Amino acid sequence: MWGIIATWSMSLDSLNTAGRELIFDSTASDAVVTAVKQVEDFPFYKSVGYGGLPNEEKEVELDAAYMDGDNLSIGAVGGIKDFANPVMIARELSRKKVNNFLVGSGAEKFASAHEFQRKNMLTKKAKKLYEQKIKENAKKLTPYAGHDTVGMVCLDKTGSMATATSTSGLFMKKAGRIGDSPIPGSGFYVDSQIGGATATGLGEDIMKGCLSFEIVRLMKEGKSPQESCNQAVFQLNEQLKKLRTEAGDISVVAMDKDGHWGCATNIKDFSFVVATAENPTPTVYIANSHNMETEIKVASKQWLTNYFAERGGVN
Ligand code: ASP
């Protein structure tokens, strides 16, 4: 058995690559890092890597993480600037005994010392969107709502699991703001003996539920990935609404050690992609919630065409 699950339709092409690699005995670690790197490199996705939208000071600050489910090693970077592939830097950090999570200039020094590729990550298109936003909201700048993190959980044929995330976080965020995506247990978690989960949405709220760890904890209790995602997301959603009157966007995907998967969301039409040994061609699904349950359907051709057109990308 092998499998890989990823947040958002933007992961579709990279799951094609990952699926091919996993068929040919790639490790979960290599497949997940290669797939996230592919999304980072694609310039038209406005919320990950090259082309990601900048903070309020017009700087692209990126967060990324990697976790190895065999030994629980974690590496993460926060607010890193001018490097092409934060996910690769995160994996390198996971191999160290200490200093696994570096932010800002410390992360950049580490990346330089290890000769990771430098790159100006602000594209013309992102700059233009920034300038438009400044004009529209000259007085009150609020963080943009359409932020998407790529997060993936992968299982290889030998039973090893790994997870990785990468994001530019919220458009117009404060300099130095770090979301859930590089925070272990919030944006991601994996244990090869159980399974893994990863989240996307409003980092500030996802962190309040340590959501990815909670899903893995529920799977450890014997719940299926789908039951675990439902319970973790809907309970946090209700609790936030009760205690704070509102809950931000929260979506998760999970896969267990046998390649069974699940997803839950509190937003409309959350898309995610899955490829497994049983269904090796990656499929895009759309999830919606109804009465604390998740309804999942295969994305129609039309839905995909609209999705990619809206994001100015190509399929
Ligand atoms: N969770 C990310 C953050 O808060 C953004 C997202 O996934 O949409 O930085």
Side-chain angles (χ1 to χ4, degrees):
M1 183 60 187
W2 59 265
I4 182 162
I5 187 163
T7 56
W8 305 110
S9 313
M10 64 178 157
S11 304
L12 179 58
D13 286 344
S14 68
L15 254 58
N16 253 315
T17 316
R20 276 199 302 272
E21 287 177 358
L22 289 160
I23 290 172
F24 291 108
D25 300 335
S26 166
T27 62
S29 171
D30 285 344
V32 85
V33 170
T34 307
V36 170
K37 177 180 179 296
Q38 192 173 328
V39 182
E40 287 177 341
D41 288 338
F42 191 71
F44 292 145
Y45 297 137
K46 292 181 295 206
S47 53
V48 178
Y50 186 57
L53 290 171
N55 64 16
E56 63 175 18
E57 296 175 11
K58 215 205 298 185
E59 297 210 274
V60 182
E61 288 189 335
L62 302 170
D63 298 341
Y66 166 83
M67 182 165 185
D68 183 326
D70 287 356
N71 50 26
L72 308 186
S73 290
I74 288 169
V77 291
I80 191 169
K81 288 189 272 202
D82 298 330
F83 279 91
N85 295 114
V87 72
M88 292 176 70
I89 303 166
R91 179 164 67 172
E92 187 61 30
L93 282 166
S94 77
R95 294 175 173 145
K96 309 287 171 203
K97 195 159 179 219
V98 290
N99 300 308
N100 300 122
F101 189 168
L102 298 181
V103 300
S105 60
E108 288 151 19
K109 266 186 211 158
F110 175 87
S112 284
H114 288 77
E115 294 178 8
F116 282 99
Q117 189 196 341
R118 282 189 166 278
K119 191 168 177 176
N120 172 10
M121 302 298 273
L122 185 66
T123 57
K124 272 195 190 137
K125 187 176 167 191
K127 206 165 140 191
K128 207 168 144 198
L129 288 166
Y130 174 87
E131 274 148 16
Q132 260 172 23
K133 188 82 176 170
I134 292 279
K135 258 192 221 151
E136 284 163 21
N137 285 342
K139 291 219 173 62
K140 70 171 195 2
L141 282 179
T142 45
Y144 166 72
H147 40 83
D148 303 345
T149 296
V150 59
M152 304 190 185
V153 179
C154 183
L155 163 73
D156 70 27
K157 282 184 191 167
T158 69
S160 288
M161 296 192 78
T163 180
T165 61
S166 186
T167 188
S168 52
L170 306 185
F171 182 23
M172 293 294 178
K173 63 188 179 184
K174 291 278 175 215
R177 180 262 183 194
I178 289 177
D180 61 303
S181 309
I183 308 287
S186 284
F188 66 95
Y189 197 81
V190 67
D191 176 337
S192 302
Q193 302 299 312
I194 305 164
T198 182
T200 177
L202 184 65
E204 283 74 0
D205 277 359
I206 291 168
M207 284 189 233
K208 294 183 178 89
C210 298
L211 205 53
S212 296
F213 182 78
E214 175 64 3
I215 292 167
V216 176
R217 191 190 68 77
L218 290 165
M219 291 196 283
K220 191 176 183 180
E221 279 183 357
K223 295 200 164 61
S224 70
Q226 188 55 52
E227 288 165 343
S228 305
C229 289
N230 282 349
Q231 183 168 328
V233 168
F234 299 135
Q235 271 184 7
L236 178 63
N237 187 52
E238 291 307 302
Q239 195 183 11
L240 292 175
K241 282 205 232 153
K242 195 167 143 213
L243 301 176
R244 308 172 59 85
T245 69
E246 59 179 1
D249 293 357
I250 300 174
S251 304
V252 298
V253 294
M255 183 168 274
D256 72 10
K257 63 176 180 26
D258 303 312
H260 302 127
W261 52 266
C263 155
T265 185
N266 69 354
I267 67 163
K268 191 171 174 294
D269 286 352
F270 168 61
S271 67
F272 63 100
V273 193
V274 187
T276 60
E278 281 165 2
N279 290 302
T281 304
T283 305
V284 178
Y285 294 93
I286 311 295
N288 282 285
S289 70
H290 186 65
N291 290 336
M292 314 270 272
E293 291 290 333
T294 306
E295 287 171 356
I296 295 173
K297 57 174 200 262
V298 175
S300 66
K301 274 226 159 74
Q302 189 57 50
W303 192 94
L304 283 173
T305 308
N306 294 346
Y307 179 92
F308 287 107
E310 252 176 47
R311 276 153 185 79
V314 288
N315 184 347

